[in-house]
Every structure is written in structure tokens, then in C-alpha cells.
Amino acid sequence: MTLKTYRAKRNFTRTSEPSGTHRQKEHKPVYVVQKHDASHLHYDFRLEMNGVLLSWAVPKGPSKNPAIKRLAVHVEDHPLEYAKFEGTIPEGEYGAGTVKIWDKGSWECTDENPEKAYKAGNLTFVLHGKKLTGLWKLIQLKNTDPKNWILFKLKEKKE
Ligand code: MN
């Protein structure tokens, strides 16, 4: 597919039609985990939804063992571009320390309406990463700080 013909027909200094250069590339929703060596080492677990990265700080990091549930503290949404970020946040700045991509890929919510599932504090999803794959869950804990969720892998039948 190309926009060559569309563009050749138009003078974009005169028409307010879009040139298509700022079009967001279609892509599968991003999944990324960043290892963040800040004042306390933690893993930032991020899932793209509605143009942002929903983010949880997982102090001990995700566990592939379905018997182990890890605390995941919900933090502020991050821009999509953040999924590519690696580097050092300078001393004295928020989150000072090094950030490295630990795992990356895409994710799929198993619920028909991911936003609704997220708002209900009960996300079930498939990860397509290099380190993490398969079915996972993020559940918001009740009767505690609403920022507290748990992250764990679901048992799967081997084919
Ligand atoms: Mn962090």
C-alpha cells in the first residue's frame, strides 16, 4: 500500500486534508518490562491501552511460577514512546537510576472489552514477549490501597 497517488494529486500547503505523514502506524498493543535500578530496584510492567502505557511497579519482578503472586503497584500512565526508553535518569530527578528494557513484545486482552476489564481491576491477558509468554493476570486488591494489584501467571495445559 502506498499514499503516492493520493499525495501526488494534492497540494498540502493549500488543502487541509491530511498528508498521512503523522499517521500512527498500526501495531499490536505494546507490552514492555523495564528493569529500573532506582532507590529500590524494581521492574516496571507496562501495557498499552488507548494510546498510553498502563504502568505497574513490580518490586520483585514477574514470576513465571503460577504459584507465586507478585505485588504490582499501579503508577502513572506513561507515553507510548516510553516503551523504547533505556538510559540513566540523573541524580536528584524523579526515579533517578538506570532503566533497561528487560522484556518486550505485544499483549492481547482475553476480555472483549479491555478497558472495562481494566477499570474493574481484573485483567486477563496473553503476553507475547521473549522472556514472558502465555496467560497472565493483573488483579486489583480489595480493601487496601487501590494502587495495589497482584501480577501472576496462570497455569496452562501443555498441548
Ligand atoms: Mn520505575
Side-chain angles (χ1 to χ4, degrees), residues 68-116:
I68 297 174
K69 294 176 171 63
R70 289 280 160 84
L71 175 69
V73 182
H74 209 327
V75 297
E76 76 277 20
D77 295 345
H78 278 53
L80 212 45
E81 295 88 328
Y82 207 92
K84 290 176 185 156
F85 179 74
E86 284 192 305
T88 303
I89 301 168
E91 207 60 48
E93 298 303 311
Y94 179 73
T98 58
V99 176
K100 276 182 190 157
I101 294 171
W102 182 82
D103 194 24
K104 191 173 183 171
S106 64
W107 75 289
E108 286 172 79
C109 191
T110 63
D111 293 278
E112 229 170 274
N113 188 336
E115 200 179 333
K116 198 175 159 193

Side-chain angles (χ1 to χ4, degrees), residues 22-77:
H22 301 293
R23 161 183 79 107
Q24 177 152 24
K25 274 191 204 156
E26 277 190 40
H27 63 278
K28 289 180 181 167
V30 168
Y31 142 73
V32 67
V33 179
Q34 281 150 320
K35 188 176 177 180
H36 188 181
D37 198 357
S39 50
H40 297 280
L41 175 72
H42 61 274
Y43 294 77
D44 288 303
F45 187 94
R46 310 188 199 277
L47 300 174
E48 177 184 354
M49 191 181 283
N50 295 340
V52 297
L53 294 171
L54 302 176
S55 300
W56 290 262
V58 184
K60 291 185 176 174
S63 173
K64 291 186 204 173
N65 180 347
I68 297 174
K69 294 176 171 63
R70 289 280 160 84
L71 175 69
V73 182
H74 209 327
V75 297
E76 76 277 20
D77 295 345

Side-chain angles (χ1 to χ4, degrees), residues 6-26:
Y6 173 88
R7 288 189 183 126
K9 287 182 175 179
R10 292 168 174 82
N11 178 348
F12 293 107
T13 62
R14 302 180 72 91
T15 176
S16 61
E17 288 169 289
S19 63
T21 46
H22 301 293
R23 161 183 79 107
Q24 177 152 24
K25 274 191 204 156
E26 277 190 40

